[in-house]
Amino acid sequence: MTVGVFGIIYTELGIVGALPMVMNKYHVSAVSAGMLVSSFAFIIAIFGPWMTLLLSRLNQKRVLIGIMALFAGSNFVSSFAPSFEILLLLRILPAFFHPVYFSIAFAMAGALSQNEEAAKASAKVFLGVSIGMVLGIPLYSYIANQFSLSTSFLFSAIVNGIACIGIGIMVPSPSAKINHPSFSNQLGILRKPSLLLNMAANCFIFSSMFSVYSYFSEYLTQRFDMNGAFISLMLVVFGISGVLGNWYAGKLLAFQMVKTVLFYPVALGFCYLFLYFVSSSVILVIAAILLWGAVHTSGLIVSQIWLTSEAQEAPEFANSLYVSFSNLGVTLGTVVGGWFISGLGINEIIGSGLLFAALALVCISVKIVWFRERNNL
């Protein structure tokens, strides 16, 4: 199940590292190529919770196998896609089932373990997310540059195929039906203004992150004249620093959540300014990417803790909102970032990141000021 999670994250975000190759192969603009990221995230944001409810009564193991088979088949056919439109369609189809796999995998991990081991089992499944976020994009970029874009799709098909076979052989069917949370009974938390502000902040944080990061390869290519191999290396540097940044952010959140969240969009904005004004010196560029990677990846845990902290009475529904609004932010950020590139040039994409960081800061600040007494500030 962990391999399946990695395969899904690799499919969703790995393409970011190969967008320049997509543009060259299919002769499309940066905005069009970015739709491979934004459309995938948009489908997750809109249909995720409802698709999970729709399939929750089916045999969970069979659903996982079916989803893995769909991802494997979609990636395999994508390697031979004759046009950009067909490639986009092949990306959209599996996106509907992305959140379904996550929901069932986490539920099964707990159900198939002893009570005291359930948390550890879920953590092992979540490991696939971390590996996918850190290694997925640089690995995708490396394979595409060393071999071809089609080979990257084939590798994804192989990973998802292995997960499909592994689940079929190694994962037993639960003896009892897994009780999925009823979203209809938890909708009441949406009446909380504080939660709505946190949801908006979550969306804008991800918009800021991915309005720039979605065009990572294109930015380094045009701004610093880097080749594919060096960009792949920079993606690895970005990912490694991201792991460290995410770990440190977790410690800061445990120590002082509100101040850490308030500082986050400021730190992200600083990274963008550093990246914008940095010279072509290799050392300074690497330093900027190291800092950017650490702060960028911290946004995953910062936004998740901030949103779910306002809905502890309905944690499952809160996490579904986190997934939906995170992907909505990815969609919004990727689209607006593409507009900045088309209208102002690749260098000015930093402005898109700064804009969304400022909006996130406003939402966080308003929430803190309006609910100061509740937060004991």
Side-chain angles (χ1 to χ4, degrees), residues 18-310:
L19 286 184
M21 298 187 69
V22 172
M23 294 165 61
N24 292 331
K25 180 176 180 178
Y26 294 104
H27 307 291
V28 295
S29 65
V31 176
S32 296
M35 289 179 63
L36 295 176
V37 180
S38 61
S39 61
F40 198 103
F42 179 76
I43 294 297
I44 296 171
I46 301 301
F47 295 99
W50 321 119
M51 288 296 295
T52 302
L53 284 175
L54 181 64
L55 299 177
S56 62
R57 295 186 178 182
L58 301 180
N59 181 286
Q60 285 81 16
K61 178 177 177 178
R62 292 177 182 175
V63 172
L64 292 185
I65 293 173
I67 292 174
M68 285 293 93
L70 176 62
F71 269 83
S74 173
N75 278 286
F76 179 79
V77 179
S78 293
S79 65
F80 306 102
S83 68
F84 179 78
E85 291 74 19
I86 293 178
L87 178 63
L88 183 61
L89 177 61
L90 291 168
R91 288 275 298 176
I92 290 175
L93 289 177
F96 285 95
F97 300 92
H98 171 295
V100 179
Y101 183 92
F102 275 67
S103 175
I104 294 177
F106 283 116
M108 286 191 71
L112 296 173
S113 306
Q114 299 296 328
N115 289 336
E116 62 272 13
E117 297 293 325
K120 291 182 180 179
S122 296
K124 290 177 181 178
V125 174
F126 190 79
L127 180 63
V129 178
S130 301
I131 297 174
M133 294 292 294
V134 173
L135 297 180
I137 295 176
L139 181 60
Y140 205 106
S141 176
Y142 176 81
I143 294 174
N145 282 285
Q146 292 298 314
F147 301 98
S148 67
L149 181 64
S150 295
T151 306
S152 291
F153 286 119
L154 289 175
F155 178 79
S156 183
I158 292 172
V159 171
N160 287 291
I162 291 173
C164 179
I165 295 171
I167 291 171
I169 296 175
M170 303 177 67
V171 177
S173 295
S175 56
K177 181 177 174 61
I178 297 175
N179 293 319
H180 292 272
S182 172
F183 288 102
S184 61
N185 294 332
Q186 303 181 66
L187 288 173
I189 64 174
L190 294 176
R191 293 194 295 266
K192 299 169 63 175
S194 56
L195 177 63
L196 297 179
L197 283 169
N198 285 12
M199 289 160 57
N202 177 61
C203 179
F204 289 138
I205 284 174
F206 271 80
S207 297
S208 180
M209 291 164 58
F210 282 88
S211 64
V212 182
Y213 184 56
S214 294
Y215 302 97
F216 184 100
S217 298
E218 186 68 11
Y219 185 82
L220 295 185
T221 298
Q222 293 193 30
R223 174 74 193 281
F224 301 112
D225 196 29
M226 292 184 182
N227 58 33
F230 199 77
I231 290 174
S232 298
L233 178 61
M234 290 301 96
L235 284 165
V236 173
V237 169
F238 187 98
I240 292 174
S241 66
V243 172
L244 298 175
N246 202 47
W247 168 78
Y248 188 64
K251 296 189 66 174
L252 291 177
L253 286 165
F255 176 70
Q256 180 53 264
M257 181 185 71
V258 175
K259 291 181 180 178
T260 301
V261 175
L262 182 63
F263 178 72
Y264 178 78
V266 177
L268 189 60
F270 175 80
C271 291
Y272 290 152
L273 290 174
F274 185 15
L275 194 65
Y276 184 80
F277 289 107
V278 70
S279 67
S280 57
S281 167
V282 174
I283 294 177
L284 288 178
V285 172
I286 293 176
I289 291 175
L290 278 168
L291 181 62
W292 180 22
V295 176
H296 172 95
T297 310
S298 299
L300 302 175
I301 189 171
V302 168
S303 56
Q304 194 268 344
I305 294 297
W306 186 238
L307 192 154
T308 57
S309 66
E310 277 299 326

